[in-house]
C-alpha cells in the first residue's frame, strides 16, 4: 500500500528484514502487519497513516482508506494529554467494546496499539459479581449459625482438622 512506503522504523530500532525489499519502510510495515494486536501508525501531526490488518478488522474496514478514517474517529476518544505524551487508557467505543489503547510517541510520530478486552472485562466483572454473591451467602450462613447456637443453649465445638485445633463457644466450656 502507498501509505506503508512512507513509514520509517523508530530511530532506536534497526530495520527488520521481512520482505527482502531494499526499502526498510516496506520491511517495517510488513513486520508491523504481523503483530497480533491492532496497531495504528500516526505521523507527527497525529494523522493515522497506517493500520495493520488486525487494526482494519477492529474498526470494521476492508481497505486502508476506510480504516484510516475510522481509526481517526476511534482515537479521538483518547484524552489529548495521552495523545501528546503517550501512555495507556481504557475506553468504551461506540459498539460498547472495552478497548485498551497504548500510545507510544517518538520523533517520527506515534503508534497506537489497541486491544479489545471486552471478554476479559466481562469475565472480571462476572468474577467480582460472583465473589460478592459468595460473600453475601457466607455472611447469611454465619448469621444462621450464630442464631442456631444461641437458641440451642448448648455448647458448640469446632475442630480444625488441618491444625488439629478445637475451638469452643463460651457455653461449651462447662460441658
Amino acid at each position: 500500500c502507498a501509505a506503508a512506503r512512507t513509514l520509517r522504523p523508530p530511530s532506536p530500532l534497526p530495520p527488520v528484514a521481512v520482505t527482502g525489499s531494499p526499502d526498510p519502510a516496506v520491511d517495517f510495515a510488513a513486520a508491523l502487519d504481523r503483530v497480533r494486536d491492532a496497531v495504528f501508525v500516526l505521523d507527527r501531526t497525529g494523522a493515522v497513516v497506517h493500520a495493520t490488518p488486525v487494526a482494519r478488522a477492529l474498526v470494521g474496514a476492508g481497505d486502508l482508506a476506510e480504516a484510516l478514517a475510522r481509526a481517526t474517529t476511534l482515537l479521538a476518544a483518547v484524552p489529548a494529554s495521552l495523545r501528546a505524551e503517550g501512555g495507556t487508557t481504557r475506553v468504551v467505543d461506540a459498539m460498547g467494546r472495552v478497548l485498551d489503547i497504548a500510545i507510544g510517541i517518538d520523533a517520527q510520530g506515534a503508534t497506537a496499539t489497541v486491544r479489545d478486552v471486552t471478554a476479559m472485562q466481562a469475565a472480571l466483572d462476572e468474577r467480582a459479581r460472583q465473589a460478592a454473591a459468595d460473600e453475601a451467602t457466607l455472611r447469611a450462613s454465619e448469621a444462621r449459625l450464630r442464631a442456631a447456637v444461641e437458641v440451642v443453649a448448648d455448647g458448640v465445638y469446632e475442630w480444625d482438622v488441618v491444625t488439629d485445633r478445637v475451638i469452643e463457644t463460651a457455653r461449651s466450656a462447662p460441658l
Side-chain angles (χ1 to χ4, degrees):
C1 74
R5 286 185 179 59
T6 63
L7 294 177
R8 296 285 174 237
S11 304
L13 297 178
V16 179
V18 175
T19 64
S21 168
D23 183 355
V26 172
D27 270 347
F28 180 66
L32 196 58
D33 285 351
R34 294 180 180 189
V35 174
R36 293 183 181 201
D37 290 327
V39 179
F40 300 98
V41 178
L42 294 76
D43 66 14
R44 288 184 190 133
T45 67
V48 180
V49 295
H50 182 74
T52 63
V54 175
R56 292 176 198 171
L58 178 82
V59 295
D63 66 6
L64 183 59
E66 184 181 6
L68 300 182
R70 290 184 181 184
T72 301
T73 302
L74 172 68
L75 295 175
V78 175
S81 62
L82 186 68
R83 289 195 307 265
E85 300 167 13
T88 305
T89 190
R90 182 167 282 182
V91 300
V92 178
D93 72 358
M95 293 185 280
R97 297 178 299 186
V98 180
L99 305 174
D100 279 351
I101 301 177
I103 306 284
I105 310 284
D106 67 18
Q108 287 82 27
T111 56
T113 305
V114 182
R115 181 174 291 163
D116 185 344
V117 295
T118 306
M120 181 183 72
Q121 185 63 49
L124 288 172
D125 291 347
E126 174 58 24
R127 185 177 289 164
R129 187 198 63 72
Q130 186 60 47
D134 290 348
E135 181 69 22
T137 300
L138 177 61
R139 290 188 191 282
S141 177
E142 289 172 342
R144 286 192 305 275
L145 176 61
R146 275 192 303 277
V149 168
E150 288 175 11
V151 168
V152 171
D154 283 339
V156 175
Y157 293 91
E158 180 183 350
W159 175 37
D160 184 336
V161 294
V162 175
T163 64
D164 196 30
R165 185 172 153 221
V166 176
I167 302 168
E168 53 187 76
T169 63
R171 290 187 183 160
S172 62
L175 299 177

